[in-house]
Amino acid sequence: MTGTRRSWTDGSLSVRSFLKPHKVAWAVFHPAWIPAALDPTVERLKRGRVVAGAVAAVGVYTFVEGGFAFEEMLENTAIASAVLFFLTPVTVGAMLFVWRRTGTVRQLRTPLVDSLKLLLLFIGCVLTTVGIFRSSEMAGLVPRMLLTLVGLWMAFFVIAGAVRLSGNFFGSAAVHRCLPPLLATVTTWLMAVPDLVTGDLHGLSLTMGVVFILGAPVTVTAIALLEIRRLKRRYGIRLAAHPATLPPTPAGAHAGIPPQRNPYGHPHGAPYGHPCAPGQGQPYTRGNPYGS
């Protein structure tokens, strides 16, 4: 990561791309610096976590009651963005405190800043979308039509971006590959627990409310634990280990993806092996070169 960095979208966007907001969202909210999944199983687990997280974000009671309120969904997204703004830095800060014994924060500065940029970008887009719809209600006919069109484009853009971010969770995999499932778990539980504590079951009975409200976070947690377990057992990636101490991605971990070195290790590495490694001889003699 100390070499030349690619552009944010890796040059995948064009003028015609803006006719399709979901394509723009997938390019903007999944930048080129986010590492690819290690293997197809991890990718499938991530997709399952995305589906469960989307259900938790929209609200299961929406499906139970048989209705769908677009404005309510935007409000829920805005609330979730506010929660993420405070929750994500706190969770990452807690992990930095855990990692402090085996590494430094300076080693993670670049991916941390990139993830923060992605988080602020998404929150700004959500607030902008909500503000456009609120402004259209107070405007005249022609301005309202224009604002509505812009608002609809932004709404599809934000929805597609939220789905994309549910997988990479603001590019936190660039910091540590176990961070996305951890952050997804903490976020879904924080969104579900207040409804149970306050008794806001959205018109459902106690039993049905507990089942439907806790269904999404329990599912996300189970999938996240499977994802973290597979990363640990198959690739040696442990959540409690500082990223600088993790082993490099093994060759052939994912078809079509070249082996990845530890991005926090030595920037140049030793591609031809260590000169002092066993079995390769000792090219330099230590001590007195003229001794017997």
Side-chain angles (χ1 to χ4, degrees), residues 41 46 67 74 87 95 107 121 137 140 154 185 210 243 245 257 273:
T41 302
K46 184 175 67 174
L74 287 179
L87 180 64
M95 293 310 304
Q107 294 172 287
L121 176 62
E137 298 175 356
M154 287 294 300
T185 300
V210 171
T245 65
I257 298 177

Side-chain angles (χ1 to χ4, degrees), residues 1 10 23 32 71 107 109 114 120 141 155 192 201 234 239 248 264 272:
M1 294 182 65
D10 204 17
K23 287 189 175 183
E71 294 184 357
Q107 294 172 287
R109 181 175 56 186
D114 288 341
L120 296 177
L141 179 60
L201 302 179
R234 190 174 179 86
L239 177 61
Y264 310 105
Y272 303 105

Side-chain angles (χ1 to χ4, degrees), residues 1 5 8 33 92 105-106 108-121 170-171 174-175:
M1 294 182 65
R5 291 177 58 86
W8 187 275
W33 46 264
V92 174
V105 179
R106 179 174 298 180
L108 310 176
R109 181 175 56 186
T110 299
L112 285 173
V113 172
D114 288 341
S115 298
L116 180 60
K117 291 178 183 178
L118 198 56
L119 172 63
L120 296 177
L121 176 62
F170 305 102
V175 181

Side-chain angles (χ1 to χ4, degrees), residues 5-21:
R5 291 177 58 86
R6 295 178 293 179
S7 63
W8 187 275
T9 61
D10 204 17
S12 58
L13 287 181
S14 62
V15 177
R16 296 184 61 182
S17 300
F18 287 87
L19 298 177
K20 300 178 180 180

Side-chain angles (χ1 to χ4, degrees), residues 82-160:
V83 172
L84 290 172
F85 180 74
F86 294 100
L87 180 64
T88 302
V90 171
T91 305
V92 174
M95 293 310 304
L96 291 175
F97 182 78
V98 174
W99 297 335
R100 76 190 189 283
R101 297 179 180 178
T102 54
T104 63
V105 179
R106 179 174 298 180
Q107 294 172 287
L108 310 176
R109 181 175 56 186
T110 299
L112 285 173
V113 172
D114 288 341
S115 298
L116 180 60
K117 291 178 183 178
L118 198 56
L119 172 63
L120 296 177
L121 176 62
F122 178 72
I123 293 176
C125 291
V126 171
L127 296 179
T128 300
T129 304
V130 175
I132 289 174
F133 279 102
R134 291 287 183 267
S135 301
S136 64
E137 298 175 356
M138 300 178 292
L141 179 60
V142 176
R144 179 181 300 178
M145 294 177 61
L146 295 176
L147 288 174
T148 301
L149 291 176
V150 175
L152 289 175
W153 191 96
M154 287 294 300
F156 284 110
F157 174 75
V158 168
I159 293 172

Side-chain angles (χ1 to χ4, degrees), residues 42-68:
V42 174
E43 184 67 21
R44 286 193 294 268
L45 290 172
K46 184 175 67 174
R47 291 176 182 175
R49 176 164 51 82
V50 169
V51 173
V55 173
V58 175
V60 291
Y61 63 92
T62 301
F63 300 96
V64 175
E65 294 178 352
F68 181 80

Side-chain angles (χ1 to χ4, degrees), residues 52-53 55-57 60 188 211-221:
V55 173
V60 291
T188 51
V211 170
F212 281 100
I213 291 177
L214 293 184
V218 168
T219 304
V220 170
T221 303

